[in-house]
Every structure is written in structure tokens, then in C-alpha cells.
Amino acid sequence: MLTTEQQARYHADGYLVLPGFKDSAAIAALRARALAIVDAFNPAEGSAIFTTQNQAAASDDWFLGSDRTLRCFFEEAAFAPDGTLKQAKALSINKIGHAMHDLDPVFEQFSRDARLAAIARDIGLVDARVWQSQYIFKQPGIGGEVRWHQDATFFDTTPVSVTTFWFALEEATVDNGCLWVETGGHTSPLRERFVRDGERIAMEKLDDMAWPDNSVAVPLEAQAGDLVIFHGLLPHYSAPNTSPRSRHAFTLHATDGATSYSARNWIQRDAALPVRGFD
Ligand code: FE2
């Protein structure tokens, strides 16, 4: 699937962009399904706000209980001081997570793709295992910042193997909160590890190395249908969406079954819902 040159670029830069990977029909189907899930979501069920800036919010049962189901999470800035939504529910959701790829037929069809299996093999995942799916809305005006981080923080394996598959479902630009990366930064150490102990979670500091200065960050602007693959140690962030346009994206996180998956990772699977590959 990937040329030798593409593989070399991935290993040198820590990421690779594949333009036009998903067609408009596949994107339309996923978008329609996501909007239907949000439409059916009763906000009284859960009030978890997802933010990587305040992990206390993430300790909410709503977050931990999403490891093997699918749940909607509100944007931090969605609420007025009195607790009511400032705009329509469909424009207030930060994301849907985290097991749609295993539980929802539309998401499953998008995620189980022989080309993804081939790409995973091409970049060195011997036995790809897909642990997580996220539909990210990056809502107009209120889509929050996701600070510098490495995705291996959330999916620890020995050796590091987690790889992110990031699909643009709409145009992503510097104005509506596209990804920013540190080219070559995947050779830097893992700074933090997100660990779960029962119903408690914590962020452990592993390395004091500073995050890159924003001046070295490279924006990965993308068109709907583009796929960005990046290494679990690649530092990346996305800025707030201050534009009037949303920036929907879908992500999958896969590790290599040939590595050792930490028992402290927040998502675990068992025979009732086994972890599967892209096939
Ligand atoms: Fe990330």
C-alpha cells in the first residue's frame, strides 16, 4: 500500500499524509451516523466535558465508562454560567468515543478497511490492534484547544507501538483548528503516562523534556478524505477553533499485538469484547 519512499518519510518525520484516502460517500455516511448518535443523546445521561487541560473532568465515570461503549462528551465552552447550553446540542458536543469501531456498523465499516491493515503492516505493526475510536467535532467558535501531547501517553506498550490514524472529514485549516506537529519529534522521549487504577486515573510524569516551542510546529492542513498517520511519540496539538466552520475528524488508535500492552492503560478488553485489527 505504501511506497518505499512513503515508508521512509513516515519513519523520518513521524507522520505521513495520504490525500484523498476516503471517498465522499464514506465520509457522508460517517457524518450522518455521528449526527444521529448526537441527536439520540440525552444530555441528562451524562455531563462529562472532555478536556486534556483538566484531568479532573476526565475522572468522571462518564469518561471511564466509555471504554467499551459509545458516549457523547460536551465541549468545555458549551455551557452558560447557569449550566444551560449556549447553542444547539449538535453544536455543543466535543466528541463521541471510544468503541464505535467495534459496536456501531457504520463506524465499523469505515474502520475495517483492508488498506488500513496494509498501511499498518507497512509501517511496522506486525499485529495491529485497534483500541479506540473518536469522532471529534471541533465545533465552530467553541472547539477547544488540545495542548501538546503524545498519544503514547494513553496507549503504553513496550516497546512503543501506538499509531494514530487521523481522518479529516471536513477541510482542516489553521483557522478551524487543524493538527500541528513537531516534524521528527517522534524520536523524543515519552513525557507523560495516563494510568488507570480501577475508577481512579492519574497522569504520571515520565520525562522532564519540554514540549516544543509553537514556533517549530508545522500545521497539517487537510481536505476532507485525507488520512494522516502519526507515530505515538510525535508531539502534536490543535488550536482552538475560532472560525465559524466546524472541523470534524475521526481517529483510530492501534498498537502492535507483538508488543506488551500495559495493564495500566485506561482501555482494556477481554473475551466479552476482544480487541481486533483492521481486517
Ligand atoms: Fe493526540
Side-chain angles (χ1 to χ4, degrees):
M1 179 76 200
L2 297 182
T3 65
T4 305
E5 200 252 328
Q6 286 175 314
Q7 293 177 39
R9 176 163 299 176
Y10 175 80
H11 292 298
D13 294 345
Y15 64 92
L16 183 68
V17 181
L18 298 174
F21 185 82
K22 287 284 191 182
D23 63 30
S24 57
I27 293 167
L30 203 72
R31 291 190 57 154
R33 182 67 191 127
L35 291 178
I37 290 169
V38 170
D39 196 46
F41 169 56
N42 173 9
E45 276 181 61
S47 58
I49 298 164
F50 182 79
T51 169
T52 53
Q53 296 191 327
N54 176 11
Q55 287 301 340
S59 66
D60 193 309
D61 289 347
W62 190 249
F63 172 73
L64 286 174
S66 71
D67 56 350
R68 48 176 64 212
T69 184
L70 53 111
R71 290 182 169 178
C72 296
F73 295 83
F74 281 111
E75 192 62 60
E76 195 169 15
F79 297 94
D82 67 357
T84 58
L85 288 175
K86 289 192 284 190
Q87 57 283 303
K89 180 178 65 173
L91 291 173
S92 302
I93 303 296
N94 169 285
K95 70 171 178 176
I96 308 170
H98 291 91
M100 299 88 80
H101 60 298
D102 281 327
L103 299 174
D104 183 272
V106 177
F107 278 90
E108 184 164 16
Q109 187 175 7
F110 191 95
S111 307
R112 310 288 169 195
D113 183 327
R115 298 175 301 160
L116 295 175
I119 289 169
R121 279 193 297 273
D122 287 347
I123 59 172
L125 299 181
V126 175
D127 174 19
R129 297 186 178 181
V130 187
W131 293 94
Q132 171 178 274
S133 45
Q134 300 180 100
Y135 189 105
I136 301 161
F137 290 86
K138 204 75 164 178
Q139 302 284 5
I142 61 166
E145 175 187 22
V146 179
R147 66 167 176 85
W148 280 109
H149 66 282
Q150 297 158 301
D151 286 356
T153 287
F154 300 94
F155 297 94
D156 184 34
T157 64
T158 306
V160 173
S161 65
V162 70
T163 306
T164 305
F165 294 74
W166 189 100
F167 304 85
L169 303 176
E170 293 184 292
E171 184 181 28
T173 68
V174 295
D175 295 323
N176 70 353
C178 70
L179 281 176
W180 293 75
V181 302
E182 181 199 13
T183 299
H186 61 305
T187 56
S188 67
L190 184 61
R191 275 87 159 171
E192 301 169 315
R193 184 163 53 205
F194 185 77
V195 296
R196 177 176 190 169
D197 178 14
E199 295 312 302
R200 288 185 311 164
I201 50 176
M203 189 69 90
E204 292 181 349
K205 186 83 174 168
L206 299 179
D207 195 288
D208 285 334
M209 185 165 181
W211 293 111
D213 189 274
N214 279 13
S215 63
V216 305
V218 175
L220 297 186
E221 295 194 312
Q223 298 294 318
D226 294 358
L227 168 61
V228 183
I229 310 155
F230 58 92
H231 190 283
L233 291 177
L234 185 78
H236 60 285
Y237 78 93
S238 66
N241 181 1
T242 55
S243 84
R245 294 178 299 114
S246 58
R247 193 228 66 188
H248 292 198
F250 178 63
T251 67
L252 295 166
H253 285 89
T255 65
D256 187 347
T259 66
S260 170
Y261 185 82
S262 172
R264 301 170 79 200
N265 286 335
W266 83 278
I267 295 180
Q268 301 290 331
R269 293 295 188 85
D270 53 29
L273 188 64
V275 65
R276 297 162 51 200
F278 288 111
D279 297 299

